[in-house]
Amino acid sequence: MKKIYFLLFGLFQTLSYSQTQDLTTLAAGEHVGMNALFDDKDNLYGYVSLYSYGKTGDKTKKFEYVILDKNLNPVANKEFEGDITAGSYLGYVDFKGQIILKPSMMDYSLVKSREIFTPVSMVIDPKTNTIKRKVYYDYLEDGTFKEINEPKNWKAQRKENREEKKEKGYNYVSAVGEVKEGGYFAIEYKDYGKYINSNSIIKFDDNKKELWRYKYNTEGNKKVFSTLSVLERDENYMYCIMKKVDDDKKAFSLVVIDMKTGKDAANKPITGLPDTTIDLIDSFTSGYGNSLDNDKTFDDKIVLTGRNYGSNNYDIGFARLMVNKSDFSIDTKTLNYKPDFAGYLPKIDGHGYVESGYYLQTKDMYFMSDGSVGILTEKYKPAGQYNAPKTTDLVYIYTDKDFKIKNVKVFEKEKTKWVNSDYLFSQYLNGGKDVVFFYRDYQKDEVTRQKKWNLFINTVINGNFKQEIIPISEKDNYTVIPYVGKEGYILLREYNEKEKFNKIRLEKLNY
């Protein structure tokens, strides 16, 4: 969820009028970005709009943020000094309720190549409307913390790494993060180039005093080693997948670490899925490296959905891994293109190709509390030597609690060239029980016979599909970008750069 695909098209003609806001009047600087903010439970918090005022020093640039609530009311704004290499920022809300501005677009036009450095994030406290540079820590090999105030430029970092490797034979690597319940976590390992070892996860209290240390892969080498992937963490447990490799043999287990002691609360083998499927279950990329949210944590379970891989590591469908929090039991299921999809998509082959070089490219996933999963895909044909990339129909696969197909809905759509997707974004409805997703289609008007864009609003409520079609047309060179809105709404940003017109409005959905 929370994926926003920017799309340029015309104006809505039939949606009802709702809340509006003029971004050009909120600040005097150049508008350089806006995005939706979500809290740690994936609920819409509001929006942040960013403005730039240009260079203020050798390493600084002035910006201004404006925070809007989910009804588009401005609730806070402030100017601040950011790094000169920051072009803009994307905002998100952390577990403390702070708004973090993470540098997005980089701007190296105002510095020389030898002076290039990575800009740091900024931290907004909404309660006091204050902003400061995010504090970073290095955890050093001698067991101490070092505060990082200025980022190193990449040349200096590379030189430091070369010197350390020459002296020790490895690079010591660490990273530090805060814990919601208080204190810090650090990870550390030694990087020898072709392999790593001496891995640890370390927990500290608020005063950075070590509480416990979880060690693994202590003697790892090129042929025999272990890795640990963290799936989820709460105040009681950290849920991980441990992979142990011995030459060409792999074994996987669910490792549950007690957050108070750092000891194993459970260590259970994961079976029923191919090695590659388990190895990649905690990540999902789709088209040009875009990452999808492929997991969701409920009070009683953790659910992940990944690709299922067959022989030669070819994609043959989907896999679901579910962890029961009460007894740490593991349930694995597969859903393959053949034979599982064949009754709904007769032309599909064993690798997800449906017809004429098109295959099902996954665009989004939706997780329900009973373990059922919705998988939204789009028929996509990659570019060839003489052919443009193309998309056609969207296909929604809805499974039951046992990860068996309950329904497949094909949303027929015209062919679109030179665009990697006509899918826009989606959101949960009714407390996470239902879903609405949006896509566009360039269709011929039955009366005028002219082609125009239509917006398709699709709800899945109690497993039942309903669709509303909203006509879209171009108007006076104005551009509209849709964003996710509060539940039951869509946000539209309409602008014309030449006329300094930049307005946003919420439109109520009819479903």
Side-chain angles (χ1 to χ4, degrees):
M1 301 293 287
K2 297 191 296 187
K3 287 164 279 292
I4 299 176
Y5 295 82
F6 296 100
L7 173 66
L8 306 183
F9 53 62
L11 297 173
F12 279 92
Q13 301 296 309
T14 62
L15 286 172
S16 59
Y17 172 85
S18 187
Q19 296 102 320
T20 64
Q21 188 59 253
D22 187 349
L23 297 179
T24 60
T25 64
L26 296 178
E30 175 191 0
H31 188 261
V32 292
M34 178 187 128
N35 72 274
L37 300 169
F38 298 85
D39 64 20
D40 59 355
K41 297 186 182 299
D42 283 350
N43 298 313
L44 183 68
Y45 175 97
Y47 304 88
V48 58
S49 187
L50 271 299
Y51 303 82
S52 174
Y53 291 88
K55 180 179 179 180
T56 54
D58 291 339
K59 292 186 176 182
T60 58
K61 186 188 295 182
K62 187 166 81 170
F63 294 90
E64 183 173 359
Y65 66 80
V66 179
I67 306 299
L68 308 171
D69 66 16
K70 57 187 177 182
N71 294 312
L72 306 189
N73 300 308
V75 294
N77 71 288
K78 199 175 192 67
E79 296 179 359
F80 65 95
E81 295 286 342
D83 288 320
I84 197 170
T85 51
S88 186
Y89 295 84
L90 282 174
Y92 68 91
V93 182
D94 71 2
F95 58 77
K96 294 181 177 180
Q98 301 174 133
I99 298 172
I100 311 299
L101 300 183
K102 183 178 180 180
S104 55
M105 296 183 296
M106 302 300 112
D107 179 11
Y108 300 137
S109 63
L110 300 176
V111 294
K112 298 177 181 179
S113 60
R114 66 177 181 273
E115 298 171 342
I116 288 175
F117 63 92
T118 302
V120 301
S121 297
M122 306 297 294
V123 182
I124 301 171
D125 183 346
K127 296 177 181 178
T128 59
N129 191 32
T130 55
I131 183 168
K132 61 183 180 181
R133 292 170 67 84
K134 185 173 176 60
V135 176
Y136 295 88
Y137 293 100
D138 259 348
Y139 181 69
L140 306 181
E141 195 169 3
D142 63 8
T144 60
F145 283 78
K146 179 183 177 182
E147 186 172 321
I148 305 171
N149 296 312
E150 293 292 336
K152 298 174 183 176
N153 70 54
W154 65 275
K155 285 187 176 181
Q157 184 66 63
R158 190 171 64 172
K159 181 182 178 182
E160 185 178 300
N161 289 344
R162 284 199 304 263
E163 291 173 350
E164 182 187 36
K165 183 74 173 292
K166 185 177 180 180
E167 177 188 351
K168 300 177 179 179
Y170 61 85
N171 285 129
Y172 176 79
V173 180
S174 68
V176 178
E178 293 183 81
V179 181
K180 182 177 183 179
E181 296 76 31
Y184 300 85
F185 265 122
I187 61 168
E188 66 172 4
Y189 59 87
K190 295 177 181 178
D191 184 356
Y192 290 85
K194 294 184 178 180
Y195 63 93
I196 66 173
N197 64 27
S198 304
N199 296 68
S200 294
I201 300 175
I202 316 163
K203 188 181 180 185
F204 304 87
D205 64 15
D206 289 331
N207 298 315
K208 305 181 183 67
K209 178 184 177 182
E210 182 175 325
L211 299 176
W212 53 256
R213 179 180 296 249
Y214 188 91
K215 296 181 179 181
Y216 64 99
N217 192 40
T218 54
E219 302 294 333
N221 56 54
K222 286 187 288 187
K223 290 188 176 182
V224 182
F225 61 89
S226 300
T227 65
L228 194 69
S229 300
V230 178
L231 302 179
E232 184 58 275
R233 183 185 60 78
D234 56 33
E235 62 181 0
N236 297 314
Y237 300 106
M238 181 183 294
Y239 302 84
C240 312
I241 292 180
M242 175 76 80
K243 177 176 70 172
K244 294 186 176 181
V245 178
D246 188 345
D247 205 359
D248 60 347
K249 296 179 181 178
K250 297 178 182 178
F252 297 86
S253 60
L254 174 71
V255 173
V256 183
I257 303 172
D258 189 301
M259 286 287 290
K260 293 181 176 63
T261 66
K263 305 294 184 182
D264 283 356
N267 191 325
K268 297 187 176 186
I270 301 174
T271 59
L273 297 174
D275 286 351
T276 304
T277 300
I278 303 174
D279 203 5
L280 302 176
I281 195 77
D282 62 334
S283 63
F284 200 109
T285 57
S286 179
Y288 291 87
N290 293 319
S291 295
L292 304 185
D293 290 339
N294 70 318
D295 68 318
K296 190 172 177 66
T297 299
F298 299 90
D299 291 340
D300 61 339
K301 66 174 72 73
I302 303 168
V303 184
L304 297 93
T305 300
R307 299 188 192 280
N308 191 27
Y309 293 91
S311 59
N312 299 319
N313 294 330
Y314 284 123
D315 172 22
I316 59 172
F318 300 92
R320 188 194 70 181
L321 187 152
M322 191 158 63
V323 178
N324 188 316
K325 286 186 174 183
S326 63
D327 59 5
F328 309 129
S329 59
I330 306 159
D331 179 78
T332 58
K333 295 284 191 300
T334 59
L335 187 64
N336 293 333
Y337 300 125
K338 281 218 167 181
D340 299 316
F341 283 56
Y344 303 90
L345 302 170
K347 294 182 180 180
I348 198 167
D349 72 3
H351 300 295
Y353 283 83
V354 283
E355 72 264 335
S356 305
Y358 288 84
Y359 70 90
L360 298 182
Q361 186 178 86
T362 307
K363 307 310 299 182
D364 217 336
M365 295 182 184
Y366 315 103
F367 298 87
M368 306 304 161
S369 59
D370 64 352
S372 59
V373 181
I375 304 172
L376 181 63
T377 69
E378 187 171 20
K379 295 179 182 178
Y380 175 73
K381 186 174 184 178
Q385 185 176 0
Y386 303 106
N387 300 309
K390 306 176 185 70
T391 65
T392 58
D393 309 336
L394 274 81
V395 180
Y396 189 99
I397 302 101
Y398 189 60
T399 74
D400 63 15
K401 62 183 179 61
D402 297 315
F403 206 54
K404 294 180 180 179
I405 294 181
K406 189 175 182 180
N407 193 10
V408 172
K409 178 74 173 177
V410 178
F411 299 89
E412 295 185 355
K413 186 171 64 63
E414 295 293 323
K415 182 188 300 182
T416 303
K417 296 182 179 181
W418 296 112
V419 175
N420 295 317
S421 181
D422 283 327
Y423 168 65
L424 299 176
F425 51 81
S426 61
Q427 65 184 130
Y428 287 110
L429 299 174
N430 303 320
K433 297 179 181 179
D434 304 306
V435 169
V436 58
F437 62 90
F438 303 80
Y439 70 89
R440 65 163 191 172
D441 193 16
Y442 196 49
Q443 296 180 323
K444 184 178 290 187
D445 187 280
E446 294 183 359
V447 177
T448 65
R449 311 306 295 171
Q450 293 180 341
K451 278 198 166 186
K452 293 185 178 181
W453 287 106
N454 286 327
L455 177 76
F456 289 74
I457 303 169
N458 311 276
T459 54
V460 187
I461 298 178
N462 294 324
N464 298 313
F465 291 88
K466 182 180 178 182
Q467 185 179 82
E468 181 181 6
I469 304 173
I470 304 298
I472 303 166
S473 62
E474 296 181 0
K475 179 183 177 182
D476 301 331
N477 293 321
Y478 282 77
T479 299
V480 169
I481 301 176
Y483 293 76
V484 64
K486 63 182 181 180
E487 186 170 318
Y489 288 77
I490 186 171
L491 177 77
L492 302 175
R493 176 184 163 210
E494 180 185 356
Y495 73 96
N496 182 311
E497 189 171 348
K498 289 184 177 180
E499 297 185 18
K500 304 297 182 183
F501 186 90
N502 195 352
K503 290 188 177 183
I504 52 177
R505 68 179 188 272
L506 285 169
E507 303 285 0
K508 187 172 177 58
L509 306 177
N510 301 311
Y511 65 89

